[in-house]
Amino acid sequence: MGVPFEALLPFGIIIGCFGAGGYGLMAVKNWTNEGKRARWNRDVWDRVMMERDMRLTGTARGQSCNHEAPPGFELSNPWKLEKRIF
Ligand SMILES: *[C@@H]1O[C@H](CO)[C@@H](O)[C@H](O)[C@H]1NC(C)=O
C-alpha cells in the first residue's frame, strides 16, 4: 500500500508560505529597527526623544552619548507652527 504523499504537498506549501511570510516580517522588523528590539508603549515624551535622537545621529534607532551636539543640530530643529499629534 503506497503512502499518499500527494496529500502532504498542500501542507508543505501552506507551511512554506506561512514561514516565508513570518520570516519576511521578522526581517523587515529587524531592518527597520536596525537590529534592535522593537519599541513598544511609546508616549509623547518617547517620541520627542526619538525625534531628538534622529536629529543627533541621523538614523531612526541611533543613540548618542556625546557631550557636544554635532554641528547643525541647532539648525535642524523645526519650529512647531501648529499643534501636532505625534
Ligand atoms: C538583525 O539585524 C542585525 C544587523 O542589523 C543582525 O546582526 C541580526 O542577525 C539580525 N537578526 C535577525 C533575526 O535577522
Side-chain angles (χ1 to χ4, degrees):
M1 187 172 156
V3 178
F5 67 91
E6 295 93 347
L8 300 176
L9 291 178
F11 290 106
I13 293 171
I14 290 169
I15 290 170
C17 286
F18 274 108
Y23 273 106
L25 282 176
M26 187 185 72
V28 167
K29 195 171 171 183
N30 191 25
W31 183 55
T32 55
N33 285 298
E34 299 175 8
K36 297 177 179 175
R37 303 285 301 272
R39 286 187 164 121
W40 54 279
N41 201 16
R42 290 165 298 182
D43 57 11
V44 174
W45 173 258
D46 295 327
R47 289 184 207 118
V48 170
M49 291 295 103
M50 285 160 58
E51 187 184 326
R52 184 207 58 174
D53 288 339
M54 178 83 180
R55 288 168 50 218
L56 278 174
T57 63
T59 65
R61 292 299 307 268
Q63 291 181 328
S64 170
C65 62
N66 290 338
H67 293 230
E68 304 247 340
F73 177 74
E74 69 278 11
L75 302 175
S76 66
N77 183 20
W79 286 92
K80 304 266 191 301
L81 294 179
E82 60 190 44
K83 194 160 176 71
R84 254 190 352 188
I85 309 294
F86 283 96

